[in-house]
Amino acid sequence: MTYEDVLKVLSQVEHPAISYSLIKLGIVTDIKLVENKVSLVFAFPFPNIPIANQLIQSIEEPVSQMGLEFEYTARVMNNQERQQFLQLETEAWKG
């Protein structure tokens, strides 16, 4: 399994309410593959978002299916990241 393989799979994971991947939205960042472990950062637009666990599981599942370990940290987006997220959300809201 290569970094490119992992990135290809994770790039297909979309936000449940926005027609963009979590990577394009800036929610999943800093993806690393070291041996058999994928580590990454979840950058959420706001603290305590209600679907945080759902988003984490939507990434953890394909990582596990690839036979890899999964590790993450979480943080809140900075103002610039949040503005970019909100613009993309407006463009691709499924609602």
Side-chain angles (χ1 to χ4, degrees), residues 1 5 11 17 20 35 47 57 59 63 68 83-85 87-89 94:
M1 193 66 54
D5 295 331
S11 293
Y20 284 139
E35 296 181 13
Q57 289 175 353
I59 294 292
V63 169
L68 301 170
Q83 290 306 314
Q84 177 67 23
F85 169 82
Q87 179 182 345
L88 292 170
E89 177 188 47
K94 293 178 186 176

Side-chain angles (χ1 to χ4, degrees), residues 48-64:
N48 304 316
I49 66 166
I51 64 167
N53 288 335
Q54 180 182 352
L55 297 178
I56 292 166
Q57 289 175 353
S58 73
I59 294 292
E60 183 176 14
E61 186 176 310
V63 169
S64 295

Side-chain angles (χ1 to χ4, degrees), residues 56-95:
I56 292 166
Q57 289 175 353
S58 73
I59 294 292
E60 183 176 14
E61 186 176 310
V63 169
S64 295
Q65 289 174 353
M66 288 184 279
L68 301 170
E69 294 178 41
F70 177 66
E71 175 179 272
Y72 72 92
T73 57
R75 66 176 179 82
V76 176
M77 291 178 174
N78 64 36
N79 286 336
Q80 181 179 356
E81 292 168 325
R82 186 178 304 108
Q83 290 306 314
Q84 177 67 23
F85 169 82
L86 293 172
Q87 179 182 345
L88 292 170
E89 177 188 47
T90 300
E91 288 174 14
W93 183 254
K94 293 178 186 176

